[in-house]
Amino acid sequence: MPLPEDIKFGNKSVVMQFHGSCKWTLECYHYLRKWLTHTVGISLKSASVIPPGLPVDLIDLPIERNRLTPTRTWLDARRHFISQAETKPDLPDSILETAPWAMFCGRVVPEKGCTKMAAGVRAMLHQNVIGTLPISRSVSRYVKNTVMVYIGDGWDYLHQKSLCESILPGRTMWLRGTEEMGNFYKAADCLMIMSEAEGAPYTAIEATLAA
């Protein structure tokens, strides 16, 4: 939402925090530049792309190992996420509970590549149908039920959700968020990261530690 040109912040500090280095982030910076007093990067990569002219601070965000500890069994974790889902795939819960889950957790915005994830799963399902995947028949029967699970929110959530559902109809599951990251990694068969630009994806680091 555009800010009024005559808006006044008085003596208050106006800070922009950089999570990445994508085009949209830099466009936001240039739009807000007249009001900013400080900038913050959450990684060396994100801090390095901040244009000169304002103070730059670096926040070293630690990995919270405690939150990566699962509190549910594999099946209970999946049942929990299914029960919390805003939208579920067109599969019976009995099949969905044990189907292959490709999962994403993060901001649901264009630069995260959510539509690429849906397209990737669709391509795999198509190859499975026509028999070009190098897998056995028994594995093929399992792969045919693969779903794409999105956990997160963002300013473009509804639009991205609509796009992904049109690309992969009946095979996406959506949750607005979760605090159960340990159970998230336990439930996943495959973690999807298709960002256009990332300093250091926390989900990749956490998944490595959780494994």
Side-chain angles (χ1 to χ4, degrees), residues 25-194:
T25 299
L26 294 174
E27 287 177 350
C28 287
Y29 169 84
H30 290 299
Y31 173 72
L32 297 170
R33 177 63 181 86
K34 69 171 70 176
W35 296 291
L36 294 177
T37 58
H38 295 79
T39 55
V40 175
I42 65 164
S43 68
L44 288 173
K45 172 67 174 177
S46 61
S48 70
V49 303
I50 299 176
L54 291 174
V56 179
D57 291 315
L58 176 65
I59 298 177
D60 184 17
L61 296 177
I63 299 294
E64 297 180 29
R65 296 290 295 267
N66 290 339
R67 79 179 192 138
L68 301 181
T69 303
T71 58
R72 304 174 188 269
T73 65
W74 175 79
L75 186 57
D76 284 344
R78 285 180 162 226
R79 286 173 174 169
H80 167 73
F81 289 125
I82 292 171
S83 70
Q84 298 296 310
E86 179 180 278
T87 305
K88 295 193 298 184
D90 296 333
L91 291 172
D93 284 358
S94 58
I95 294 178
L96 181 57
E97 288 173 355
T98 57
W101 285 14
M103 299 182 74
F104 164 79
C105 185
R107 291 183 299 119
V108 183
V109 291
E111 61 267 25
K112 289 295 183 179
C114 297
T115 55
K116 295 178 184 177
M117 301 173 198
V121 173
R122 183 184 66 179
M124 185 193 70
L125 291 172
H126 176 69
Q127 289 182 336
N128 188 52
V129 169
I130 64 177
T132 56
L133 280 180
I135 55 177
S136 66
R137 288 184 179 179
S138 59
V139 174
S140 176
R141 287 194 293 270
Y142 176 66
V143 168
K144 72 178 183 179
N145 293 321
T146 300
V147 298
M148 183 69 223
V149 182
Y150 296 90
I151 299 181
D153 206 340
W155 64 268
D156 201 35
Y157 176 85
L158 292 177
H159 183 226
Q160 291 296 308
K161 182 173 181 284
S162 176
L163 290 175
C164 293
E165 289 176 339
S166 67
I167 294 170
L168 191 63
R171 288 302 182 93
T172 62
M173 185 162 78
W174 297 81
L175 293 87
R176 287 279 186 159
T178 183
E179 295 295 324
E180 300 190 14
M181 293 307 298
N183 295 323
F184 162 76
Y185 292 117
K186 190 173 188 68
D189 291 298
C190 173
L191 178 67
M192 303 284 273
I193 300 175
M194 292 189 176

